[in-house]
Amino acid sequence: VYGETITPAQIEKLPQIGVFANFSAYGSSKKYKGLRNIKGETILNTIYDELTLFYQTNNAIFIKTQKDGLFGLVCYVPLSNKVNIIIQPKYDDIFDAGEFTFGFITNGKVGFASLSGHYRSEI
C-alpha cells in the first residue's frame, strides 16, 4: 500500500487461510533473530539469540551475533545483497578495537583480528 505504513502487529492480525494455514510463519516463535532484505528475502537465517550493529562503513554493515551465550561477527554488503560470516559465535565477547580491527575474549584471553577475520594476535 503506497503512502501507508503497515506495522508487524497489523500483519500478524491477518487471518491465515488456505494451504499455508497450518504452517508456522518464518521466525514466528520470536525467540530467534535473522535478517531479511527489503524484498523479504532471507539474508541471515533466524538462528541467533541477538543481533547488534557492531560497525559500519560506506560499503558494509558489521553485525555482532549472539548464540547460546557466545558471540560472532557477520558482514552484510548491501550493494551485493550478501552476508559473509566472518566469525561463527564462539567467543565470550567481541569488541571494536579500532583501525578496522575487532578484539575477542575467550577463556580469559584477549585476541585481535581484522574485520575480514584474519587473526593478528592473541594475548
Side-chain angles (χ1 to χ4, degrees):
V1 177
Y2 290 99
E4 182 180 336
T5 301
I6 299 173
T7 66
Q10 290 171 305
I11 293 171
E12 291 176 356
K13 291 179 185 175
L14 296 175
Q16 295 285 336
I17 58 172
V19 70
F20 297 105
N22 295 324
F23 287 92
S24 296
Y26 183 83
S28 66
S29 71
K30 298 183 182 172
K31 181 177 179 181
Y32 298 110
K33 295 179 171 79
L35 293 175
R36 289 185 177 178
N37 63 17
I38 60 172
K39 296 178 183 177
E41 301 165 332
T42 300
I43 56 173
L44 188 62
N45 289 328
T46 56
I47 61 170
Y48 299 100
D49 299 324
E50 194 63 51
L51 299 173
T52 309
L53 179 63
F54 183 73
Y55 187 79
Q56 186 171 353
T57 67
N58 290 335
N59 302 321
I61 300 168
F62 293 86
I63 300 165
K64 183 178 180 178
T65 61
Q66 181 180 359
K67 178 74 176 153
D68 299 326
L70 299 174
F71 295 90
L73 190 65
V74 299
C75 175
Y76 172 58
V77 182
L79 291 177
S80 66
N81 197 37
K82 292 188 179 185
V83 171
N84 299 316
I85 297 174
I86 297 171
I87 301 291
Q88 292 285 354
K90 64 179 182 179
Y91 295 115
D92 298 332
D93 199 5
I94 62 172
F95 58 91
D96 182 4
E99 301 290 325
F100 302 102
T101 302
F102 70 93
F104 55 90
I105 301 170
T106 186
N107 298 323
K109 294 183 178 181
V110 176
F112 299 92
S114 68
L115 287 176
S116 61
H118 294 98
Y119 293 96
R120 294 195 175 165
S121 65
E122 188 172 315
I123 301 172

